[in-house]
Amino acid sequence: MVQRRGYNSLRQISLRKMPLTLLFKAVMASFILLPPLNSLSMIHRPRTPEVVVDETWFSDPNIVRELGRWYALSKTLAEDAARNFLNEYDIKLVVINPGASIGPVLQPELNLSSSLILNLINGSPTFQNYSFGWINVKDVANAHIQAYEIISSTGRYCLIERVAHFSEVADILRHMYPTLKIPEKCEDDEPFMPTFQVSKEKAKSLGIEFIPLEVSLRETVESLKEKKFVDF
Ligand SMILES: *[C@@H]1O[C@H](CO)[C@@H](O)[C@H](O)[C@H]1NC(C)=O
Ligand SMILES: *[C@@H]1O[C@H](CO)[C@@H](O)[C@H](O)[C@H]1NC(C)=O
């Protein structure tokens, strides 16, 4: 997200300034923590349930490239490019780094994050051996607005309510929707990909309260149902 010095409110950005903002729309959604979450192992620091990832963690583009994680690579390079470009012009850059954004689907098509949940409720026999950082899309939207509005916002903001393996997400969904056929088996056997923690401290300074994963999952399923991606 770009904030031009002197424009401390979204509403103060005139149409003339808008193209610059739009130019960096892609960067606004730049994440280090999104799929392929492996992106974070790319820095040779192991992630385990005790490890707390924060805004000082960066992906190493060379490692991401070696892993063939093109989606993560595009996000990593976009963030770098924006930072370099804006430094040159003395424009402040604020980056929001959300995880897999779930919750109500606004557009008619499916997005990657919602399809991760759809795959758990559409009758597939197994779930993936993968741990994602999850966040409600409403928190992501709110964080962007707050980062514009709060003049002291600075640098990067991690935005993850909880990191959970698909096995845990499947458990929550099974409990919530007992009549649905939710996979009980992983595509791999144990051990599962470990989870880790993500610091919420900095995001809290934007006033983000973090909608719990359970609420986000319910909102996602209800939205997928309403949009007829799933029928039950
Ligand atoms: C979500 O899906 C829409 C429609 O396919 C697409 O235009 C948009 O870029 C997608 N957003 C993300 C973040 O993938
Ligand atoms: C599950 O994924 C983790 C992380 O990629 C890996 O270490 C583990 O071996 C995988 N489990 C199996 C049984 O493949």
Side-chain angles (χ1 to χ4, degrees):
M1 161 178 325
V2 195
Q3 223 181 37
R4 216 157 215 254
R5 297 248 155 91
Y7 292 91
N8 63 352
S9 163
L10 202 47
R11 284 175 278 273
Q12 277 177 268
I13 300 175
S14 70
L15 274 183
R16 224 157 40 81
K17 303 289 176 195
M18 239 11 212
L20 186 66
T21 318
L22 292 179
L23 180 64
F24 288 96
K25 206 174 149 231
V27 181
M28 287 173 27
S30 116
F31 7 88
I32 41 163
L33 302 170
L34 202 84
L37 243 278
N38 272 353
S39 40
L40 284 188
S41 32
M42 320 161 286
I43 30 192
H44 298 305
R45 280 199 258 173
R47 288 168 311 163
T48 59
E50 303 76 45
V51 170
V52 182
V53 171
D54 65 16
E55 285 79 5
T56 63
W57 287 57
F58 281 86
S59 304
D60 178 336
N62 296 324
I63 302 177
V64 191
R65 193 177 279 115
E66 265 163 41
L67 291 169
R69 306 279 182 183
W70 310 123
Y71 187 72
L73 182 63
S74 74
K75 299 295 181 185
T76 307
L77 295 181
E79 193 184 332
D80 277 357
R83 188 169 293 105
N84 295 337
F85 179 80
L86 293 172
N87 269 347
E88 228 172 273
Y89 292 92
D90 194 28
I91 296 172
K92 173 173 150 187
L93 172 73
V94 178
V95 180
I96 307 290
N97 299 110
S101 307
I102 54 170
V105 180
L106 205 55
Q107 78 282 1
E109 299 91 354
L110 258 193
N111 277 103
L112 175 73
S113 305
S114 333
S115 70
L116 296 173
I117 304 303
L118 181 62
N119 287 342
L120 289 175
I121 56 171
N122 65 3
S124 34
T126 57
F127 51 78
Q128 282 176 269
N129 175 19
Y130 221 90
S131 297
F132 272 100
W134 305 95
I135 184 74
N136 193 301
V137 67
K138 291 186 280 187
D139 282 337
V140 180
N142 194 18
H144 281 87
I145 294 169
Q146 291 291 86
Y148 264 116
E149 300 282 350
I150 299 175
I151 192 69
S152 59
S153 68
T154 175
R156 315 165 87 209
Y157 292 85
C158 289
L159 217 57
I160 302 260
E161 194 273 325
R162 201 189 317 169
V163 179
H165 191 270
F166 274 116
S167 60
E168 194 184 334
V169 176
D171 280 347
I172 298 171
L173 288 172
R174 203 176 300 110
H175 196 251
M176 224 176 251
Y177 295 97
T179 58
L180 277 183
K181 196 178 153 280
I182 315 273
E184 296 189 26
K185 247 185 75 60
C186 187
E187 61 185 2
D188 298 329
D189 291 320
E190 309 268 334
F192 289 160
M193 179 175 169
T195 60
F196 51 95
Q197 300 174 59
V198 180
S199 170
K200 294 193 173 88
E201 291 317 305
K202 207 172 164 219
K204 280 183 182 161
S205 71
L206 292 180
I208 306 301
E209 284 170 13
F210 290 95
I211 299 167
L213 177 59
E214 286 78 2
V215 176
S216 304
L217 287 173
R218 187 181 290 281
E219 287 182 357
T220 312
V221 175
E222 293 304 319
S223 178
L224 291 172
K225 199 166 137 185
E226 195 188 301
K227 303 232 166 192
K228 312 237 182 305
F229 286 112
V230 65
D231 192 17
F232 66 92

